[in-house]
Amino acid sequence: NAGVTQTPKFQVLKTGQSMTLQCAQDMNHEYMSWYRQDPGMGLRLIHYSVGAGITDQGEVPNGYNVSRSTTEDFPLRLLSAAPSQTSVYFCASTSPQGRETQYFGPGTRLLVL
Amino acid sequence: SQQGEEDPQALSIQEGENATMNCSYKTSINNLQWYRQNSGRGLVHLILIRSNEREKHSGRLRVTLDTSKKSSSLLITASRAADTASYFCATDPNSGYSTLTFGKGTMLLVSP
């Protein structure tokens, strides 16, 4: 099993550009989530999904969009990138319902100029 | 907002010494988890302790949970240079559709 995979590993964007961060898991987990990690701030939840077709907002959802069309994939879209979105983004999956061990991807480092 | 808060923010010890990190939280929980993050990497799950458990061991790791004080501690015994990493506690609040809430972490440096 590959576990949780994320692409790309690094990305540089200009302000106003849009992009999609990809996340996939092969463990058949119902629950997937996106976090951002900023220095001194720990991990903050952006969006999460408890199954295909079901998504919900976390602590810091503004400026991000998600969808869950399959169990395996949970892409995160930046609609119009801003310098404040410069961060490291982690995708995680678990089962059941987010209460047990979370498996993290390797992260995507995003720089918005 | 962070549910768990780790203490200390940073800890520097010598190989062979024990390292203790603490986590305090605010609301009742189903479980509390500890994760490790090596520099530039994703988080790795270390141990999960449920609200009805008081102590749990895994190898050189010992976790305690005191629900009356809303606090937990992670003890790493006989530390090694490879234990150098950031350690995070995460809580699963006992309400509704739960999601894990992470603290800001303790940065541990183990010197040879």
Side-chain angles (χ1 to χ4, degrees), chain A residues 13-30:
Chain A
L13 290 178
K14 295 181 180 179
T15 296
Q17 287 185 317
S18 62
M19 79 159 294
T20 299
L21 280 63
Q22 302 290 345
C23 174
Q25 53 91 9
D26 60 0
M27 296 173 283
N28 202 31
H29 285 165
E30 300 97 343

Side-chain angles (χ1 to χ4, degrees), chain A residues 59-75:
Chain A
E59 181 185 355
V60 288
N62 293 341
Y64 307 95
N65 213 350
V66 292
S67 60
R68 185 93 179 272
S69 56
T70 67
T71 299
E72 294 77 20
D73 300 299
F74 190 42

Side-chain angles (χ1 to χ4, degrees), chain B residues 31-49:
Chain B
N31 67 64
L32 185 145
Q33 303 176 33
W34 285 91
Y35 288 79
R36 183 187 72 224
Q37 184 182 35
N38 291 90
S39 180
R41 303 287 186 90
L43 278 72
V44 174
H45 180 262
L46 293 176
I47 197 164
L48 179 153
I49 186 166

Side-chain angles (χ1 to χ4, degrees), chain A residues 31 37 41 59 99 101-102, chain B residues 1-2 30-31 35 37:
Chain A
Y31 184 94
Q37 184 177 32
M41 296 293 292
E59 181 185 355
R99 286 204 158 108
T101 303
Q102 293 216 12
Chain B
S1 61
Q2 260 75 25
N30 286 310
N31 67 64
Y35 288 79
Q37 184 182 35

